[in-house]
Amino acid sequence: GANQNYTIRKISNGTYYLYFNTGRGWDTIKERFIDSNEYSKFAEAFDFATTETETDDSIDTEYSTFEVTLNPVVGGKAITYQVTEGDFNNY
């Protein structure tokens, strides 16, 4: 829903593009927005990596983190492109 946060966990190492869908009025049966459907993709890829360092008594894990906002914000630098519903649904 609007103004909520979501965390994606257990992401495999790799390079990813973030696609997202915005709109108004969620149809729970069709699982899609009723009005103002817009499909977008962030222009820049996200490189996700996890590294583990073993010490004498433990394993330290470091991983990439990213935080995005799906609506334009003042001072934001991310570029997004509109994509078709078909392109969006391919993923």
Side-chain angles (χ1 to χ4, degrees):
N3 300 315
Q4 292 184 348
N5 294 321
Y6 185 79
T7 300
I8 302 171
R9 300 184 188 282
K10 298 184 180 181
I11 299 172
S12 298
N13 291 342
T15 300
Y16 298 90
Y17 283 96
L18 177 60
Y19 288 74
F20 62 98
N21 176 213
T22 58
R24 293 191 182 123
W26 186 252
D27 183 329
T28 56
I29 295 171
K30 293 182 180 179
E31 295 185 331
R32 62 177 295 144
F33 290 107
I34 297 167
D35 190 29
S36 300
N37 247 330
E38 188 172 296
Y39 301 90
S40 303
K41 169 189 171 184
F42 278 87
E44 190 172 331
F46 295 83
D47 293 321
F48 187 83
T50 303
T51 57
E52 292 184 345
T53 305
E54 190 172 338
T55 61
D56 291 335
D57 57 351
S58 67
I59 296 176
D60 294 330
T61 304
E62 293 184 20
Y63 53 88
S64 306
T65 61
F66 303 93
E67 184 175 325
V68 299
T69 303
L70 301 183
N71 57 299
V73 294
V74 174
K77 297 176 184 171
I79 297 170
T80 60
Y81 298 105
Q82 286 191 337
V83 297
T84 66
E85 182 177 4
D87 286 343
F88 178 84
N89 288 329
N90 282 334
Y91 299 97

